[in-house]
Amino acid sequence: LYICDWYNPIKSHNQYSLRDPRRDRKSGRIWRITPKGSTPADPPKVAGASVDALLEILKSPHYRYRYWTRRELRERNPDRVKKALDRWVARLEKSDPRFRHHQTEALWVYRGIGRSNPALLAELVECEEHHARAAATRQLRYTEASPGLLKIAANDTNGLVRLEAAVAASYIGS
């Protein structure tokens, strides 16, 4: 967490000229706050990395790194990315505590490259993790998926999933 602290003795809402000598152009403080004992993470190489290396970054606990990775994958050849992504999804360990999270990241990559994985989508709509179900249900608005999946989501026990189903249903023409 970064905190920037800066004070100017005059108002900065353009009531005073930018050349006003009372403007403080030298003072200010920046703090970086980290938990005790932690060390900052080194960012992964994203630009120019191989598709397989980028897919592994999707397992990172750092949201920003996963965001950069999805953005980079959107710039790559969609067919190559889909082929590698299909292999990556098939190799995910079901025993991994973040298994559904990784599948959800894959779902977002498929959406970003304009491709789909209907089997993964169907699996996530009916999985045990409500956040993954909600994310998968959100994707239903962009796909020609079975109306049965939307019906399953609309009758989900979780309110967030039902909300996403209602919004996805609003994208259907009739």
Side-chain angles (χ1 to χ4, degrees), residues 117-134:
N117 184 332
L120 176 62
L121 182 62
E123 180 180 344
L124 287 174
V125 165
E126 298 189 77
C127 76
E128 71 289 344
E129 172 59 46
H130 77 275
H131 289 108
R133 292 195 312 268

Side-chain angles (χ1 to χ4, degrees), residues 4 25 34 37 45 48 56 68 102 109 116 119 122 127 152 163-164:
C4 300
R25 300 184 187 281
T34 59
K45 179 184 177 198
E56 286 305 310
W68 293 341
H102 302 333
V109 172
S116 66
C127 76
I152 290 168
L163 172 66
E164 290 294 347

Side-chain angles (χ1 to χ4, degrees), residues 105-171:
E105 287 287 340
L107 198 62
W108 292 334
V109 172
Y110 282 116
R111 171 76 184 125
I113 63 171
R115 303 296 188 268
S116 66
N117 184 332
L120 176 62
L121 182 62
E123 180 180 344
L124 287 174
V125 165
E126 298 189 77
C127 76
E128 71 289 344
E129 172 59 46
H130 77 275
H131 289 108
R133 292 195 312 268
T137 301
R138 177 173 286 212
Q139 299 305 312
L140 293 176
R141 69 177 86 169
Y142 305 113
T143 66
E144 299 286 329
S146 161
L149 291 178
L150 188 55
K151 187 174 182 180
I152 290 168
N155 291 300
D156 197 276
T157 57
N158 185 272
L160 181 60
V161 178
R162 291 192 308 271
L163 172 66
E164 290 294 347
V167 173
S170 73
Y171 282 73

